[in-house]
Amino acid sequence: SRAFNVESVRSEFPTLNQTLDGGMQPVFLDSGASAQKPQLVIDKEREVEEQYYANAHRGRYSFGARVDEELDAARDRIAGFINSETSAQVAFTAGTTATLNMIAAGWGGRFLKSGDEILITEMEHHANIVPWQQLAIRTRATLRYIPLTPDGRLDMDRLDEVLTAKTKVLAVTAMSNVLGTVTPIAELAARAHDVGAIICIDAAQSVPHMATDVQSDDIDFLVFSGHKIYGPTGVGVLYGKAERLDEMDPILFGGHMIDRVYKDHSTFAAAPAKFEAGTLPIVQAIAVGTAVEWVQGLGVAAIHQHEQLLLESAYSQLSQIPGMTIYGPDVSHRGAILSFRMADVHPEDLAAILDRRGVMTRHGHHCTMPLHDLLGVSATTRASFAAYNTAADVTALVEAIEFARRTLRVA
Ligand code: PMP
């Protein structure tokens, strides 16, 4: 990978290289929601649209063949990126939320029964809570939670209390979208397998920031979204061990996912086709391959190192601001996300004032209401970092918060 030069990285992002009304440069600190796209990814989408757009799957003409080739290449690239055993174990989906619903209904719906337990954590995104709640209702299984330590890590000392022979699925985020907490995936997988459970990883937040290896971590299912890894919206990824995908039922039925259709019944194709009913978001899926290629070009380790330096700087400067509360663990246990509150300032007011300085953050419960209940607040303001953020962005955040303190006359 080439040497990491943040100014050069940033120059690849058209949205970040414009002047906002008022003459400010954008300080984009909401990549945890959706990352910006480098020119390479935008160009790839245009290339497909302008040069060979067609539906996928064996059109006997040049456009169709090219689309198939590009989709295969994207699938191969993603498989390599997460170290999947084969490309056939990577299916394109509509996103993390859609994929977690597929697994809960399609695998959980097949195997769970009354008395079984589903184990998640207190820091999950609603996308990794609600599908399991629905599964529990349908199967009369019980949903349980791994508790957190006071500083927002998984309380591994209490894992035995909740991970038992009754547990059939452990579904956990690899990185919290609020606390930034990085969870010990390999250890959790081993512990889950010890009791005969499978492990399902919500990697939506982790894939852009740290290396993913489904084989070394022994992961059964792993899911993520294109739009958080510098790619388009509307597309995500399902990875599964071959055996898991074989035994998992599809939840969308129709074209392409079948083997043979008779008037009264059908047989299904093997993965990945089994999970790709209908027309895929073709352009977007191809562009996710390009986004992953872009990340690989920089090196996910180099991106991680860069972001952790920004995180350390932001964490230490924000900690010194009077009245500031930062939620979650210290920087050694988290990725580059900071959620905070300042005194009694409402997180939305804070975000709105930061925006007056061109500093774009997100406020609210970030789709983690149970976590916010635990934190005892209804909302936080969140700054999340990506490869294109600079030390100047951190300075802008700190200065904008100081500006907010003065504007709001916080003591
Ligand atoms: N899980 C986590 C940890 C997330 O951060 C998000 C996005 N905020 C999701 C799931 C849902 O992803 P999507 O909206 O792309 O389906």
Side-chain angles (χ1 to χ4, degrees):
S1 70
R2 57 203 153 95
F4 194 92
N5 172 342
V6 69
E7 288 308 330
S8 142
V9 170
R10 190 183 180 88
S11 72
E12 295 183 56
F13 288 80
T15 50
L16 303 178
N17 291 288
Q18 59 178 319
T19 303
L20 302 174
D21 293 345
M24 301 168 299
Q25 299 302 304
V27 176
F28 189 75
L29 297 177
D30 195 23
S31 305
S34 286
Q36 299 298 325
K37 294 183 202 65
Q39 191 67 51
L40 195 70
V41 170
I42 297 166
D43 287 349
K44 190 69 186 185
E45 291 188 86
R46 275 189 79 122
E47 175 191 296
V48 184
E49 303 280 17
E50 294 183 348
Q51 297 180 28
Y52 50 85
Y53 177 79
N55 208 316
H57 310 316
R58 293 177 293 279
R60 276 300 289 122
Y61 53 91
S62 58
F63 289 5
R66 177 72 188 273
V67 157
D68 286 354
E69 230 171 73
E70 295 284 346
L71 263 181
D72 286 348
R75 197 188 301 278
D76 292 347
R77 183 159 294 280
I78 293 163
F81 182 61
I82 62 174
N83 196 28
S84 174
E85 294 87 343
T86 66
S87 296
Q89 289 161 256
V90 169
F92 289 112
T93 66
T96 300
T97 303
T99 318
L100 289 167
N101 275 275
M102 289 164 69
I103 296 166
W107 191 90
R110 173 143 185 216
F111 290 107
L112 268 77
K113 55 185 192 318
S114 170
D116 287 344
E117 293 181 359
I118 304 156
L119 184 58
I120 62 175
T121 85
E122 289 185 319
M123 64 172 111
E124 297 309 314
H125 188 281
H126 295 164
N128 202 27
I129 300 176
V130 188
W132 302 113
Q133 287 175 339
Q134 291 299 307
L135 175 67
I137 292 167
R138 274 176 44 215
T139 60
R140 298 207 270 142
T142 305
L143 182 60
R144 301 188 71 181
Y145 288 81
I146 303 177
L148 304 189
T149 60
D151 70 340
R153 288 172 296 124
L154 296 185
D155 193 342
M156 297 297 281
D157 293 338
R158 295 180 57 195
L159 191 57
D160 281 337
E161 295 171 22
V162 285
L163 180 68
T164 71
K166 292 181 179 173
T167 312
K168 292 294 174 291
V169 185
L170 169 55
V172 53
T173 186
M175 177 173 154
S176 162
N177 66 316
V178 175
L179 307 175
T181 311
V182 173
T183 53
I185 296 306
E187 185 182 352
L188 289 165
R191 296 282 296 272
H193 294 147
D194 279 347
V195 299
I198 66 156
I199 187 159
C200 170
I201 301 301
D202 175 353
Q205 289 296 334
S206 65
V207 280
H209 307 295
M210 62 193 76
T212 303
D213 189 328
V214 292
Q215 291 189 67
S216 75
D217 286 350
D218 201 12
I219 293 167
D220 292 280
F221 289 116
L222 179 130
V223 314
F224 62 94
S225 296
H227 66 99
K228 293 187 203 280
I229 187 161
Y230 311 101
T233 54
V235 61
V237 168
L238 162 67
Y239 160 84
K241 283 184 181 168
E243 193 188 343
R244 295 289 91 73
L245 294 177
D246 265 358
E247 66 195 15
M248 171 171 156
D249 288 330
I251 61 165
L252 270 186
F253 304 93
H256 189 63
M257 56 75 64
I258 51 82
D259 176 38
R260 182 73 171 86
V261 177
Y262 304 89
K263 282 176 97 172
D264 60 351
H265 78 284
S266 300
T267 55
F268 302 146
K274 183 167 75 166
F275 303 109
E276 295 182 346
T279 297
L280 287 176
I282 295 161
V283 179
Q284 292 77 3
I286 291 170
V288 174
T290 307
V292 165
E293 186 180 352
W294 184 84
V295 167
Q296 288 176 316
L298 287 174
V300 82
I303 293 175
H304 182 74
Q305 192 184 15
H306 168 72
E307 292 172 346
Q308 291 304 113
L309 289 174
L310 295 179
L311 171 71
E312 282 164 29
S313 164
Y315 189 96
S316 73
Q317 292 185 69
L318 259 53
S319 308
Q320 285 157 26
I321 296 174
M324 180 64 75
T325 304
I326 301 174
Y327 298 93
D330 65 44
V331 293
S332 64
H333 291 100
R334 71 157 84 209
I337 287 184
L338 288 172
S339 296
F340 50 85
R341 286 178 67 106
M342 186 173 62
D344 54 3
V345 177
H346 193 281
E348 181 169 359
D349 294 339
L350 183 55
I353 293 177
L354 299 183
D355 183 59
R356 283 161 54 184
R357 292 296 187 90
V359 176
M360 306 185 195
T361 59
R362 188 158 292 258
H363 65 89
H365 54 65
H366 315 294
C367 298
T368 58
M369 282 183 174
L371 175 62
H372 278 73
D373 288 345
L374 190 73
L375 300 175
V377 294
S378 62
T380 50
T381 304
R382 180 182 78 180
S384 52
F385 299 85
Y388 40 68
N389 288 119
T390 61
D393 290 343
V394 174
T395 304
L397 172 66
V398 174
E399 285 178 359
I401 292 173
E402 290 293 357
F403 168 71
R405 291 188 69 233
R406 291 194 303 274
T407 308
L408 298 166
R409 295 190 179 77
V410 176

